[in-house]
Amino acid sequence: MLTQKCIRLYGWCALHMRKRIWKELANRSLVPSRRCCNNHLGDLYRNESVQRYLRQLVEEYRDVTKTLQHGFLNDPARKELNKRQVGLSPVATAFQSAEHAVKDLEEVETLLQKTVGSKEEDRQMVQLLKEEQAQITQRIESLRKDLIQTLVPSDPHDTSNVLLEVVTGRTTGGDICQQFTREMFDMYQGLASHKNWDFEIFNYTPAEYGGLHHAAVRIAGESVYRRLKHEGGTHRVQRIPEVGLSSRMQRIHTGTMTVIVLPQPNELDISIDPKDLRVDTFRSRGAGGQSVNTTDSAVRIVHLPTGTVAECQTSRSQLQNRDTALRVLKARLYQSMMGRETEQRLTARKQQVGTRSQSERIRTYNFSQDRVTDHRTGYVTRDIKEFMKGGEPLDDLISELLEHGDKEALLELVVTCSQRY
């Protein structure tokens, strides 16, 4: 008996010693609290392929302008050229501004070479010219970044609202996946509050121990889809569970959950024949009050031609749940249509869901080491509890992902255009 007590005491001491060591290592870590990618969007100006593509666009703008001024065109041809000129105008304007700044810098550098002498006036002039040289150089870098930004292909859905879903992982983790899914839901709700976005819950299916199986929400606001579109994918968590059956083992567990981000279509974007729908009603699951759980207020809608399913059980009103489920269904069907129209790509939903395995992770949340790592950009941030609140740390990471995504999109466009010519 005494031996068993000693063994349990030893295990307890070893566990708390490991926790203390992990905390000290996190505090002493040489990794900075935030580490961004070194290659920024403005650096692409020095890329030869990008410069070649830029010169082609500027030359095309000049040719189109010349043709509109001096050519004899019929109305359809003139309308098409006017449209192209408007599309190229931001690039041409930004290019011209950058070129003017370069000429200003050359003039200042020429004056610096000529202003050589020992007089006090010459020394003062040199100092003023050097200050102006530094200012113009900084302005050139800013203008070139703006110029590259005009080349980035625009996403027509960037201004759309979104349907965001969080789904617990299928393959690993058990309780830890469900608890992590709820924390991710809370994180995006915190981000919506930080950005003053509307956050409307469509579906919320709770799990045991305060966890979450699945939730679907509508987030509305300024450029919501642009800010959230890179959040879709598999998110991995590593931690010692705090509650549930897994917490008894007191060791680090690994789990996953999936975030799905779909642009929210307008009413005119997609129409559905009522004959293609099957509507089922059932009793709501989980906590929600007596009226919710004793009436068939929950609604499930199945689109028969595609097998797409959407359900809602958040309201006590069956009609309101039906309306919400129909909006979710439209978003999923709309995303499928977008995917079919894009060659050599899966739909965004399938691309984001994948198999929900750890090998497809886009981001890891390591609670034991107090670290969040995004595997697409190498971005690392500390203070995971602050990050999970969904405020400025998450917003900073999203900004980094946007710049990375713009860079990848531009390089893909440049390669595609170079293959045409």
Side-chain angles (χ1 to χ4, degrees):
M1 181 68 69
L2 181 60
T3 303
Q4 293 178 350
K5 287 183 177 180
C6 291
I7 292 174
R8 285 198 296 269
L9 180 62
Y10 175 80
W12 182 86
C13 293
L15 171 64
H16 283 270
M17 182 61 71
R18 286 198 300 269
K19 288 183 177 180
R20 183 176 179 181
I21 291 173
W22 288 333
K23 186 175 181 179
E24 290 180 357
L25 287 175
N27 293 334
R28 297 178 185 178
S29 176
L30 297 177
V31 180
S33 59
R34 291 183 178 89
R35 184 180 68 210
C36 304
C37 296
N38 294 324
N39 296 325
H40 295 287
L41 187 63
D43 297 336
L44 287 181
Y45 183 83
R46 299 174 181 84
N47 184 291
E48 292 183 4
S49 298
V50 173
Q51 287 192 357
R52 192 181 310 114
Y53 174 66
L54 175 61
R55 288 194 293 269
Q56 290 174 354
L57 292 182
V58 173
E59 189 63 30
E60 182 183 359
Y61 176 80
R62 291 170 179 167
D63 292 341
V64 168
T65 302
K66 193 176 193 179
T67 303
L68 287 171
Q69 290 176 347
H70 305 290
F72 295 97
L73 304 169
N74 55 33
D75 289 341
R78 182 172 293 277
K79 184 177 180 180
E80 188 67 26
L81 286 177
N82 277 325
K83 183 178 179 180
R84 183 57 178 164
Q85 185 188 40
V86 170
L88 293 172
S89 180
V91 178
T93 302
F95 178 80
Q96 192 174 28
S97 299
E99 289 298 298
H100 285 329
V102 170
K103 290 181 180 179
D104 292 341
L105 180 62
E106 291 174 351
E107 292 178 1
V108 170
E109 290 175 343
T110 301
L111 289 174
L112 269 174
Q113 293 175 358
K114 293 180 179 180
T115 308
V116 179
S118 58
K119 294 182 180 181
E120 181 65 25
E121 293 82 358
D122 291 342
R123 288 197 295 270
Q124 292 179 356
M125 179 62 71
V126 169
Q127 182 64 29
L128 290 173
L129 288 173
K130 285 184 177 180
E131 292 177 0
E132 187 173 0
Q133 181 186 36
Q135 292 175 359
I136 296 176
T137 301
Q138 187 176 3
R139 181 156 56 93
I140 289 174
E141 290 298 319
S142 177
L143 289 171
R144 284 177 174 174
K145 183 177 181 179
D146 293 340
L147 173 59
I148 294 300
Q149 189 66 55
T150 63
L151 300 178
V152 175
S154 61
D155 187 333
H157 301 287
D158 275 350
T159 58
S160 300
N161 300 324
V162 304
L163 172 69
L164 184 142
E165 297 180 67
V166 292
V167 187
T168 189
R170 288 176 177 169
T171 56
T172 60
D175 298 334
I176 193 176
C177 295
Q178 298 162 5
Q179 295 159 19
F180 181 52
T181 302
R182 179 188 57 78
E183 291 176 306
M184 291 292 290
F185 176 86
D186 293 341
M187 182 183 76
Y188 290 118
Q189 190 171 24
L191 177 65
S193 176
H194 175 72
K195 303 290 290 185
N196 293 320
W197 293 337
D198 293 332
F199 192 87
E200 180 184 359
I201 299 176
F202 281 178
N203 187 47
Y204 192 95
T205 308
E208 295 180 345
Y209 306 109
L212 179 64
H213 285 297
H214 170 268
V217 300
R218 175 181 178 270
I219 305 179
E222 183 179 356
S223 302
V224 173
Y225 184 71
R226 172 169 171 78
R227 299 295 296 178
L228 293 180
K229 60 184 176 182
H230 297 298
E231 289 297 292
T234 299
H235 297 244
R236 183 177 73 166
V237 61
Q238 294 176 318
R239 75 187 320 171
I240 297 176
E242 298 176 354
V243 296
L245 297 176
S246 303
S247 63
R248 301 175 184 175
M249 305 178 68
Q250 287 299 305
R251 62 182 178 84
I252 297 177
H253 286 247
T254 299
T256 61
M257 61 80 61
T258 301
V259 177
I260 304 165
V261 181
L262 306 176
Q264 185 73 26
N266 298 321
E267 291 298 326
L268 297 178
D269 288 331
I270 184 171
S271 59
I272 302 176
D273 190 341
K275 297 179 181 179
D276 292 335
L277 300 178
R278 188 186 78 229
V279 181
D280 302 324
T281 59
F282 58 96
R283 293 188 179 182
S284 300
R285 298 183 297 271
Q290 294 180 348
S291 297
V292 173
N293 294 306
T294 58
T295 61
D296 293 336
S297 59
V299 175
R300 181 187 298 110
I301 302 179
V302 181
H303 186 246
L304 298 176
T306 62
T308 305
V309 181
E311 65 178 48
C312 180
Q313 55 179 330
T314 56
S315 173
R316 297 183 180 185
S317 168
Q318 186 183 109
L319 291 176
Q320 188 172 347
N321 285 336
R322 178 189 174 105
D323 179 65
T324 301
L326 185 59
R327 290 160 66 185
V328 174
L329 181 68
K330 283 187 175 183
R332 292 176 179 171
L333 290 175
Y334 184 68
Q335 186 62 44
S336 298
M337 291 171 57
M338 289 171 52
R340 288 195 297 270
E341 293 173 357
T342 305
E343 295 181 359
Q344 299 178 348
R345 291 186 182 180
L346 297 174
T347 66
R349 180 176 175 81
K350 289 182 180 179
Q351 193 175 37
Q352 291 170 24
V353 173
T355 62
R356 301 179 189 171
S357 67
Q358 296 178 35
S359 61
E360 297 178 345
R361 66 189 184 276
I362 62 171
R363 191 179 301 155
T364 295
Y365 303 73
N366 193 316
F367 282 81
S368 301
Q369 299 180 9
D370 194 30
R371 183 181 69 235
V372 178
T373 304
D374 194 280
H375 303 289
R376 294 162 293 182
T377 64
Y379 188 105
V380 176
T381 181
R382 294 287 180 175
D383 196 355
I384 194 169
K385 290 185 177 179
E386 185 66 25
F387 184 87
M388 297 301 291
K389 293 179 181 178
E392 186 176 348
L394 175 58
D395 202 29
D396 289 345
L397 188 150
I398 289 175
S399 296
E400 182 76 15
L401 286 170
L402 278 175
E403 187 165 353
H404 175 76
D406 287 346
K407 179 180 176 181
E408 293 297 317
L410 177 56
L411 289 175
E412 182 180 353
L413 177 63
V414 168
V415 170
T416 302
C417 292
S418 64
Q419 293 173 350
R420 292 178 184 174
Y421 298 101

